[in-house]
């Protein structure tokens, strides 16, 4: 049974800390802006093109009031206005088309930014170190890949367009308004300055409220993932109402923070809209007085008002853009926090060395004879060997800094080939042995050797390509049965796939499935039984043709017949492969070439079943109690009975 780190470490407190959302940053706003710019930088060419096209369209819009003034002046002097009208019409149409094209280019750039961010986050999450994932809420990570990246798409084009096009067009508009009438310009600048003060005060609050909203959304994902991860348990416990309350609380938190963000955005938008309307009335009043006094002509006032109408949405765009910039910066900061999590340093080679020549296991298992490799000397991965020896040298390990150690100077040697079983009380550190071999964790001291070389010197992809690992809970991914069997490895031939399916007795399952191997197994293999999931996991490991096979209670959920058949398959595989088994069934232990007995994070002794029964009290006790399954037991009257899977 997989030992919980809690039992192995302290007996009272968990060795692995309770999962938490990714720590939120309190970095200054400018760091968020830099983070957002890093996401936009790869799309700078497309963004620049969209800005230029949109800017040209806006410039054409700036020429429209002057064209309208020309039309009015010509009509006032009794001159034909057909030419200016045609020019004005062309400016309107061309400006609208270019503005739309610029918006399209910016949206395309935004989609590319989001896609790149999601791909980068997906790669990062899959490369995270196992302790990091175990300490982090998966729902929070999912929220950052989905909702946070969506905010990048919503904010990026608006923020960039407002920052560049909006600013330039606003400045140009103000200059043209000044050329028309300086007095009216002063009134307009006063309005712009007032709006700027409001934006400066409100924008930071929008950013903070947005970050809090996204954190609340992440907590919804955490709560929902928690429920779906143990859905049957929740229903069997009648806990739907309680869990629904937790989800409702998380949703209410998101609503409250979202309303707060919306309130600040509304304050900003309302203030700017009201002030613009007030400025229009003021300009209209002052301008009317100046027309009456003869200081300016009516056409000048009309042109100025048209520019004011142009300026009003630009100011609104700037205000909205600043708000969107805060939203995008907050999302970029949250995405950046995931990108700062510790990852495995994978040294990929172009073509990882295959774990085994194709068909070698098949021949050995089919004929029931030792392979060429077995007939060679054991003890390491010498030239020509297709299996690897394992050795632990004074390994010490704790799941986290400051916690008590799970392993205390663990040392043992397993030669290449053969079956080695690890037994001991729960929490003795058996599963941790496999985790250290796979480099899910690094030892605090000592060395873990595979094929005579420290596992830390192996490129990770080569190391894991050599190993077939079957976890105790035998996880199955959503998808088809075929997808799960061929997960992560080269596509096997049809003959090899059929052979392994038959060896693991999955053919009994596939014969009754509507689409055979292409049948969907459901979320986490929900349409399979526990024993079927274990057989899928074993078949997947065998299809990798490993040099080292790690089985952690791989047959614990199988019935007696299937367990016996798979035990025979494992024994045959051990003729050609190094097989390590964490076992609680004596039927598996008695067939092992060697047995490593562990207790309280130490190796107590190593030997065969017969040797250990006579010389080790702990093993003798385990064999007579915890491990009594499927073995032949000598009765006092000489009668020998075959124990069933329940040990009765």
């Amino acid at each position: 049974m997989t030992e919980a780190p809690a039992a192995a470490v302290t007996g009272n407190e968990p060795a692995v800390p309770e999962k938490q959302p990714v720590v939120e940053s309190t970095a200054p706003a400018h760091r968020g802006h830099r983070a957002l710019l890093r996401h936009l930088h790869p799309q700078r060419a497309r963004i620049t093109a969209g800005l230029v096209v949109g800017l040209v369209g806006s410039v054409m819009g700036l020429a429209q009031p002057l064209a309208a003034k020309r039309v009015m002046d010509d009509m006032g002097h009794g001159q034909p206005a057909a030419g200016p009208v045609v020019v004005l019409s062309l400016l309107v149409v061309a400006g609208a088309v270019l503005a739309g094209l610029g918006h399209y280019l910016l949206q395309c750039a935004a989609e590319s930014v989001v896609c790149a961010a999601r791909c980068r986050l997906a790669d990062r999450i899959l490369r995270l170190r196992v302790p990091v994932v175990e300490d982090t809420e998966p729902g929070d990570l999912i929220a950052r890949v989905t909702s946070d990246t969506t905010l990048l798409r919503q904010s990026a084009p608006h923020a960039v367009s407002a920052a560049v096009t909006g600013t330039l067009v606003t400045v140009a508009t103000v200059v043209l308004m000044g050329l028309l009438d300086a007095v009216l310009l002063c009134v307009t600048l006063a309005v712009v300055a007032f709006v700027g003060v409001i934006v400066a005060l409100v924008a930071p609050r929008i950013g903070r409220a947005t970050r809090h909203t996204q954190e609340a959304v992440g907590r919804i994902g955490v709560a929902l993932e928690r429920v779906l991860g143990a859905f049957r348990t929740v229903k069997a416990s009648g806990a739907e109402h309680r869990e629904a309350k937790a989800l409702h609380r998380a949703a209410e938190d998101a609503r409250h923070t979202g309303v707060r963000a919306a309130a600040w955005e509304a304050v900003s938008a309302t203030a700017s809209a009201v002030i613009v309307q007030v400025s229009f009335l003021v300009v209209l009043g002052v301008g009317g007085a100046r027309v009456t006094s003869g200081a300016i002509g009516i056409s000048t006032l009309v042109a100025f008002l048209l520019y004011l109408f142009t300026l009003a949405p630009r100011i609104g765009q700037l205000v909205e853009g600043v708000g969107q910039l805060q939203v995008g910066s907050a999302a970029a900061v949250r995405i950046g926090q995931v990108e700062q999590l510790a990852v495995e340093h994978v040294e990929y080679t172009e073509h990882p060395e295959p774990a085994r020549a194709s068909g070698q296991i098949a021949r050995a298992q089919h004929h029931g004879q030792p392979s060429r490799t077995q007939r060679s000397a054991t003890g390491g991965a010498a030239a020509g060997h297709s299996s690897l020896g394992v050795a632990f040298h004074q390994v010490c390990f704790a799941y986290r800094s400051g916690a008590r150690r799970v392993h205390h100077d663990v040392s043992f040697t397993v030669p290449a080939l053969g079956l080695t079983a690890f037994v001991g009380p729960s929490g003795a550190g058996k599963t941790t042995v496999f985790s250290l071999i796979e480099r899910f964790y690094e030892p605090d001291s000592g060395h873990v050797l595979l094929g005579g070389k420290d596992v830390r010197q192996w490129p990770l992809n080569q190391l894991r390509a050599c190993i077939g690992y079957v976890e105790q809970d035998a996880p199955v991914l959503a998808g088809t049965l075929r997808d799960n069997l061929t997960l992560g490895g080269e596509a096997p031939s049809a003959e090899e796939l059929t052979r392994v399916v038959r060896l693991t007795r999955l053919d009994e399952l596939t014969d009754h499935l509507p689409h055979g191997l292409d049948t969907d197994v459901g979320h986490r293999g929900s349409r399979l039984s526990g024993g079927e999931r274990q057989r899928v996991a074993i078949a997947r490991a065998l299809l990798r043709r490993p040099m080292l096979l790690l089985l952690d209670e791989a047959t614990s959920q199988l019935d007696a017949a299937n367990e016996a058949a798979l035990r025979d398959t494992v024994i045959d595989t051990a003729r050609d492969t190094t097989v390590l088994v964490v076992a609680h069934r004596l039927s598996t232990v008695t067939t092992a070439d060697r047995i490593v007995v562990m207790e309280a994070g130490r190796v107590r002794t190593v030997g065969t079943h017969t040797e250990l029964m006579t010389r080790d009290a702990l093993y003798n006790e385990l064999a007579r109690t915890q491990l009594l399954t499927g073995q032949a037991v000598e009765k006092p009257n000489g009668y020998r009975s075959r124990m069933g899977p329940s040990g009765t």
Side-chain angles (χ1 to χ4, degrees):
M1 183 176 181
T2 303
E3 67 276 1
V9 179
T10 65
N12 296 317
E13 59 181 1
V16 179
E18 183 181 354
K19 291 186 177 183
Q20 299 291 337
V22 180
V23 177
E24 297 300 332
S25 173
T26 57
H30 64 84
R31 294 189 182 177
H33 299 164
R34 287 203 300 265
L36 179 59
L37 289 176
R38 283 196 296 271
H39 286 282
L40 300 181
H41 186 263
Q43 293 296 318
R44 59 190 182 279
R46 187 177 292 176
I47 292 174
T48 301
L51 290 176
V52 170
V53 172
L55 186 59
V56 172
S58 299
V59 170
M60 290 185 175
L62 290 178
Q64 293 171 21
L66 295 178
K69 182 178 182 298
R70 176 66 180 274
V71 170
M72 293 183 66
D73 288 339
D74 289 348
M75 292 176 65
H77 292 90
Q79 298 177 358
V85 168
V86 172
V87 172
L88 179 59
S89 301
L90 291 176
L91 288 174
V92 171
V93 174
V97 171
L98 290 176
L101 180 58
H103 179 76
Y104 172 76
L105 291 174
L106 288 175
Q107 288 293 346
C108 289
E111 291 293 343
S112 297
V113 167
V114 171
C115 180
R118 286 173 174 168
C119 292
R120 192 163 55 249
L121 278 179
D123 291 342
R124 186 83 184 187
I125 289 173
L126 290 175
R127 291 173 50 229
L128 290 176
R129 298 184 66 240
V130 171
V132 173
V133 174
E134 291 179 345
D135 293 348
T136 306
E137 284 288 0
D140 187 61
L141 293 176
I142 293 171
R144 296 180 191 238
V145 177
T146 54
S147 62
D148 287 344
T149 52
T150 300
L151 289 180
L152 287 180
R153 178 178 57 217
Q154 295 174 352
S155 63
H158 296 289
V160 172
S161 178
V164 180
T165 306
T167 301
L168 292 177
V169 174
T170 299
V171 171
T173 303
V174 170
V175 171
L176 291 172
M177 292 170 73
L179 294 176
L180 289 173
D181 189 79
V183 175
L184 296 180
L185 174 62
C186 291
V187 176
T188 305
L189 289 180
V191 174
V192 173
F194 192 61
V195 172
V197 171
I198 293 177
V199 171
L201 292 175
V202 173
R205 291 172 172 79
I206 295 175
R208 285 195 297 270
T210 299
R211 284 194 294 273
H212 294 158
T213 300
Q214 289 307 108
E215 293 167 17
V217 171
R219 288 193 290 272
I220 294 176
V222 169
L224 192 58
E225 193 278 336
R226 173 177 176 271
V227 172
L228 295 179
F231 198 61
R232 294 188 180 187
T233 301
V234 170
K235 285 189 170 296
S237 303
E240 295 98 331
H241 183 64
R242 194 180 81 173
E243 296 301 324
K245 283 186 175 180
L247 284 167
H248 293 171
R249 284 195 300 269
E252 281 295 320
D253 288 342
R255 184 184 69 83
H256 284 307
T257 55
V259 167
R260 191 178 302 116
W264 285 114
E265 291 175 357
V267 168
S268 177
T270 302
S272 61
V274 169
I275 293 171
V276 167
Q277 293 299 323
V278 171
S279 67
F280 170 75
L281 295 176
V282 173
V283 168
L284 183 61
V286 175
R290 290 178 62 77
V291 170
T292 302
S293 66
I296 59 174
I298 185 66
S299 62
T300 300
L301 177 59
V302 171
F304 195 96
L305 289 174
L306 288 175
Y307 276 123
L308 184 59
F309 282 130
T310 303
L311 183 63
R314 293 299 178 185
I315 293 176
Q317 182 186 16
L318 283 172
V319 173
E320 182 184 1
V322 171
Q324 292 290 345
L325 182 63
Q326 297 297 324
V327 171
S329 297
V333 167
R334 283 173 51 83
I335 292 171
Q337 289 164 357
V338 177
E339 293 175 338
Q340 295 301 316
L341 295 177
V343 297
E344 294 178 330
H345 298 289
V346 181
E347 300 174 6
Y348 282 106
T349 55
E350 185 176 356
H351 298 290
E353 181 181 351
R356 178 184 304 279
S358 178
Q360 193 170 358
I361 281 184
R363 291 192 298 272
Q365 292 177 343
H366 177 73
H367 296 294
Q369 298 295 329
S371 66
R372 175 181 58 83
T373 309
Q374 185 181 358
R375 290 193 295 269
S376 63
T378 62
H385 280 202
S386 59
S387 58
L388 298 168
V390 178
F392 275 50
H393 292 164
Q394 297 182 323
V395 171
C396 296
F397 172 71
Y399 276 97
R400 56 175 176 165
S401 177
R404 292 178 59 185
R405 290 177 174 174
V406 181
H407 280 180
H408 306 268
D409 294 321
V410 171
S411 297
F412 62 84
T413 299
V414 174
L417 303 180
L419 175 62
T420 300
F422 289 80
V423 301
S426 179
K430 305 181 295 295
T431 296
T432 304
V433 169
F434 290 2
S435 297
L436 293 174
I437 293 174
E438 284 272 13
R439 280 188 66 189
F440 297 150
Y441 302 92
E442 303 283 354
D444 299 329
S445 62
H447 299 277
V448 178
L449 305 181
L450 183 64
K453 184 168 69 172
D454 194 302
V455 293
R456 287 170 288 197
Q457 298 176 355
W458 283 73
L460 266 178
N461 68 322
Q462 290 189 5
L463 173 70
R464 291 171 183 167
C466 295
I467 301 173
Y469 180 35
V470 180
E471 304 170 64
Q472 184 183 16
D473 55 355
V476 173
L477 281 67
T480 66
L481 190 58
R482 186 187 305 274
D483 292 337
N484 276 277
L485 291 174
T486 60
L487 182 68
E490 295 181 1
S493 65
E495 295 77 10
E496 186 175 10
L497 184 59
T498 301
R499 178 186 61 80
V500 172
V501 167
R502 186 175 62 253
L503 280 174
T504 54
R505 291 200 170 188
L506 280 174
D507 53 341
E508 301 173 359
L509 170 65
T510 57
D511 289 345
H512 296 88
L513 292 177
H515 304 292
L517 289 175
D518 295 312
T519 302
D520 191 271
V521 297
H523 177 62
R524 296 184 178 180
S526 59
R527 297 174 186 171
L528 303 177
S529 68
E532 289 167 347
R533 287 196 294 271
Q534 284 193 323
R535 280 182 278 166
V536 169
I538 294 172
R540 180 168 59 217
L542 292 177
L543 284 170
R544 291 174 63 83
R545 303 186 298 275
M547 299 180 182
L548 172 65
L549 182 61
L550 307 178
L551 304 175
D552 190 356
E553 278 299 303
T555 60
S556 60
Q557 299 187 54
L558 298 181
D559 57 70
N562 281 315
E563 191 269 340
L566 284 175
R567 184 176 65 246
D568 293 340
T569 298
V570 171
I571 293 173
D572 287 340
T573 303
R575 295 192 180 108
D576 194 59
T577 307
T578 307
V579 181
L580 308 186
V581 180
V582 171
H584 283 168
R585 289 190 175 182
L586 198 61
S587 56
T588 301
V589 174
T590 55
T591 59
D593 298 304
R594 67 199 61 80
I595 302 168
V596 179
V597 183
M598 300 190 69
E599 182 183 23
R602 290 183 169 87
V603 173
R604 179 182 173 99
T605 185
V606 179
T608 64
H609 170 69
T610 303
E611 295 169 347
L612 295 177
M613 285 292 291
T614 58
R615 78 177 189 218
D616 189 79
L618 174 62
Y619 180 82
N620 190 287
E621 179 184 359
L622 291 172
R624 293 184 178 277
T625 56
Q626 185 179 0
L627 298 180
L628 283 179
T629 55
Q631 76 279 17
V633 179
E634 186 72 32
K635 297 291 184 179
N637 60 2
Y639 173 80
R640 295 176 64 86
S641 65
R642 190 73 176 176
M643 303 295 289
S646 62
T648 59

